[in-house]
Structures are given as structure tokens and as C-alpha cells.
Amino acid sequence: MAVVIHGEGELRYLIVFLVVVLTSCGIEESKLPNNPIVGLWDVDPYQDGLPDGCKSIKIHFDENGNLKMESGLQVITAEYTLENISLGEYILKQKKVSSNGKENCQNISSEFVLSHYAENVYLEVSGNSMLMHFGPSKKAPSFKLIRE
């Protein structure tokens, strides 16, 4: 999935982002009933700098540790686990990432997206709202998701 990163309302650069899988000391929280990210999440379409074509990005996290991300015609699938950092904060890690070979919402090829896949993603989860950062810390730029 490609996502635009912006600062102060201006588009500064484009970064390719793919969701990743998480592990916490060998315990797969994603298989526990209290997994805070299970469900279907939509990108908040009102974010500054989000291209029109990317306002319908969806990410589905299931209770078995699988994710499915839809960005334009592109569909990315992966297995995920979560590492709990603190209350409401997690590291999402990925494995077995694959794509349907189509272009994403910004017409970026699947090959390019997969070659720039983020391996660790910092999440801040509060109820039905989530900030997904483009790196392993909350200092990294982010975008907002809302659970359906």
C-alpha cells in the first residue's frame, strides 16, 4: 500500500507502506480474544495530503493472525502478530507477505511496493481509532485508520 506522508499540510514525499506482522515474546496476541486490532479498518479520508484514489484503503485483521489490505486494485495478504509495548501501543510485524500483482491506489506496481515493505510498524490504538506509523516508533510519520 502506498501512502503519502506530509508535513504541515504540504505533500513532502511519497513512501510505500505495507502492513506487517507482530510477535510478543513468542506469544501471538493476535490469536487471543482481546486482540485490539481485529476487524475491518478504513483509512480516515479526511487526512491532509491523502490522494483521492487512496481514500478507500481498507485493512482487515482477523483473529487468526491474518491480514488483508486493499489499496486500489492491489490486495496484500500477510500473517501478523503484535508485540505489546504499553497500554494501547504495539509493534506490528509481518511475515509471508504476498500480493495479487496489481497496482495500488497511486498506480505503484506490486513489485515496488513489496520491495519497500516496512517490517516493523508502530501502532497506537484507542477504541475504534488507530494511528499506523511508518516505522518502529511513534516518532515516524503516520496515518489514521477507523474501525468499521
Side-chain angles (χ1 to χ4, degrees), residues 18-80:
L18 296 175
V19 179
V20 294
V21 186
L22 325 156
T23 309
S24 175
C25 301
I27 298 172
E28 293 184 350
E29 290 185 18
S30 59
K31 295 188 179 186
L32 298 175
N34 62 349
N35 181 342
I37 66 170
V38 167
L40 183 59
W41 297 80
D42 297 317
V43 168
D44 181 350
Y46 301 107
Q47 296 175 80
D48 290 336
L50 189 64
D52 287 339
C54 295
K55 292 183 179 183
S56 62
I57 292 171
K58 294 183 178 299
I59 305 173
H60 179 252
F61 297 93
D62 74 16
E63 64 280 350
N64 295 316
N66 299 299
L67 69 85
K68 178 181 177 183
M69 182 175 12
E70 298 176 14
S71 170
L73 297 175
Q74 188 174 86
V75 178
I76 299 290
T77 57
E79 293 179 2
Y80 78 91

Side-chain angles (χ1 to χ4, degrees), residues 13-142:
Y13 55 93
L14 174 70
I15 188 168
V16 176
F17 169 77
L18 296 175
V19 179
V20 294
V21 186
L22 325 156
T23 309
S24 175
C25 301
I27 298 172
E28 293 184 350
E29 290 185 18
S30 59
K31 295 188 179 186
L32 298 175
N34 62 349
N35 181 342
I37 66 170
V38 167
L40 183 59
W41 297 80
D42 297 317
V43 168
D44 181 350
Y46 301 107
Q47 296 175 80
D48 290 336
L50 189 64
D52 287 339
C54 295
K55 292 183 179 183
S56 62
I57 292 171
K58 294 183 178 299
I59 305 173
H60 179 252
F61 297 93
D62 74 16
E63 64 280 350
N64 295 316
N66 299 299
L67 69 85
K68 178 181 177 183
M69 182 175 12
E70 298 176 14
S71 170
L73 297 175
Q74 188 174 86
V75 178
I76 299 290
T77 57
E79 293 179 2
Y80 78 91
T81 56
L82 286 174
E83 177 182 345
N84 191 339
I85 302 301
S86 65
L87 183 62
E89 298 181 6
Y90 306 88
I91 298 290
L92 175 72
K93 298 178 184 178
Q94 61 76 41
K95 65 181 179 181
K96 299 183 183 179
V97 180
S98 64
S99 168
N100 65 350
K102 306 283 185 180
E103 292 181 340
N104 70 6
C105 64
Q106 293 179 315
N107 298 316
I108 297 174
S109 74
S110 176
E111 293 80 16
F112 185 85
V113 169
L114 291 175
S115 70
H116 292 80
Y117 200 88
E119 294 191 8
N120 295 298
V121 178
Y122 197 92
L123 303 178
E124 294 180 80
V125 182
S126 179
N128 291 324
S129 179
M130 173 169 38
L131 283 179
M132 183 174 281
H133 297 265
F134 302 104
S137 80
K138 63 180 171 182
K139 292 181 181 179
S142 66

